[in-house]
Amino acid sequence: MATKAEKIVAGLGGVENIIEVEGCVTRLRTEVENQDNVDEAALKAAGAHGVVKMGSAVQVVIGSDADPVVHEIEDMM
C-alpha cells in the first residue's frame, strides 16, 4: 500500500514533475514543472485538506505531519 507521501507525489504529477518541495508547518510548498499534471482530487484523496495553486507553485495543506512527509518526498527525489 502506498504511503501518504507516495500518494501526494502521484497527485503532484510524479517525482519528475516536482522541481522543489519544502515544509511549512501544516503544508507542503512545492514548485512543479507542469500545473496540468497536478491532480487536486488525488491530493485530497491522499489526505490534503486543501490545495492552493499559484503559477508553478502548489501548496498542499496536510496538517501537522507536513515535515515528515516532506522528508519522505525528498528521499524519493
Side-chain angles (χ1 to χ4, degrees):
M1 179 170 236
T3 67
K4 185 173 190 173
E6 290 170 332
K7 292 175 185 176
I8 289 172
V9 166
L12 289 170
V15 171
E16 62 281 350
N17 196 46
I18 300 171
I19 297 169
E20 184 178 358
V21 62
E22 65 181 46
C24 181
V25 185
T26 62
R27 58 185 68 209
L28 306 177
R29 291 184 179 182
T30 66
E31 184 179 349
V32 296
E33 188 72 38
N34 186 342
Q35 276 280 4
D36 294 336
N37 294 342
V38 176
D39 184 344
E40 194 169 332
L43 290 169
K44 288 184 177 177
H49 303 289
V51 178
V52 180
K53 297 179 183 179
M54 299 166 288
S56 65
V58 179
Q59 292 188 14
V60 183
V61 182
I62 62 170
S64 61
D65 62 343
D67 283 333
V69 171
V70 165
H71 294 304
E72 192 173 339
I73 292 172
E74 289 173 335
D75 289 345
M76 287 186 243
M77 297 174 70

